Amino acid sequence: MEINTVRTDDSVELKLEGRLDITFQESLEEAITAAFDENPKKIIVNCEGLTFISSAGLRVFMKAHKLSASTGVELYIAKLNETTKKIFDITGYLAIFNLID
Amino acid sequence: MKISRNISIRNRIEETVAVNNLVEETALEAGFLQKDVYDILIALDEILSNIVYYAYPNGKEGIIDIRIEMEGDDLTVSFVDEGIAFDPLAKADPDLAVPVEEREIGGLGIFIVKKLMNRVVYTREAGKNVLMISKTKHGVNNGN
């Protein structure tokens, strides 16, 4: 998986490419933590290029959700595809995130 | 269609990539739709990460034998390890009524496996954990 970071005045967007499985849990966790450290108004995790996600990825999203709650930085998940959305859906994770297209 | 392939790896995350590749290649060759291949690969990731992290405690090195079999319309992946006895199916499904933030993270992976695969079977045989997961192939016009 690849992570590309795009910054604007008030946001950090992480564009994910490829497969979010156990082999990439750690690098995504580092990128998310670094994004929160920058203290932007909002963080967007763009999943358009993400082909699939396992529970290893969900763990990172849960961590991001908790960081968002504790820091006040807004968190958005953008462009989930059929496969990634299904995983969020069957686990109940869909309900807690702000989704955008 | 009948295909049978084997691969053995050590209990290291970086070695799971070779298994992913072989399973993906086999499932595509067997005619699975790409979205069903992703389901299989997600299930694979859940199970291999479980075995790698928990089957051999205290940094012990162990081997995981994986067999991929296509028979009829069913693709079955079997995982055999000699680690501590562990039946992932014994754990209750996560309580979806509990808010996600307050839920235990454990058990989520195997729950996903059960949702994505058609059959999941665990047996303990001669000191080994044997876990088999199967997915049935659907044609383009057969829906889900």
Side-chain angles (χ1 to χ4, degrees), chain A residues 13-17 44-50 76-79:
Chain A
E13 180 174 3
L14 300 174
K15 293 186 167 186
L16 312 186
E17 287 278 342
I44 301 151
V45 183
N46 188 330
C47 299
E48 188 170 17
L50 200 61
Y76 298 92
I77 312 263
K79 300 183 198 287

Side-chain angles (χ1 to χ4, degrees), chain A residues 1 16 19-30 32 50 52-64 87-88 91 93, chain B residues 13 41-50 53-54 105 107-110 112:
Chain A
M1 195 185 79
L16 312 186
R19 303 162 174 205
L20 177 46
D21 60 13
I22 194 74
T23 60
F24 286 102
Q25 180 181 353
E26 213 174 301
S27 37
L28 179 60
E29 198 163 336
E30 282 166 12
I32 295 256
L50 200 61
F52 70 75
I53 176 172
S54 70
S55 67
L58 289 182
R59 272 191 278 277
V60 183
F61 281 103
M62 177 53 76
K63 186 175 177 187
I87 298 299
F88 273 82
T91 54
Y93 275 53
Chain B
I13 286 300
L41 293 177
I42 293 166
L44 191 67
D45 191 61
E46 303 297 352
I47 287 166
L48 286 176
S49 54
N50 251 340
Y53 285 130
Y54 304 117
I105 192 80
L108 193 60
I110 195 70
I112 291 172

Side-chain angles (χ1 to χ4, degrees), chain A residues 9 12 15 23 52-54 56 64 68 73 80 82 84 99 101:
Chain A
D9 287 347
V12 175
K15 293 186 167 186
T23 60
F52 70 75
I53 176 172
S54 70
S68 170
V73 174
L80 291 174
E82 187 192 357
T84 49
L99 300 183
D101 283 328

Side-chain angles (χ1 to χ4, degrees), chain B residues 90-109:
Chain B
K91 193 161 171 75
D93 287 342
D95 185 351
L96 297 180
V98 174
V100 181
E101 299 93 325
E102 295 160 24
R103 258 188 251 153
E104 278 181 66
I105 192 80
L108 193 60

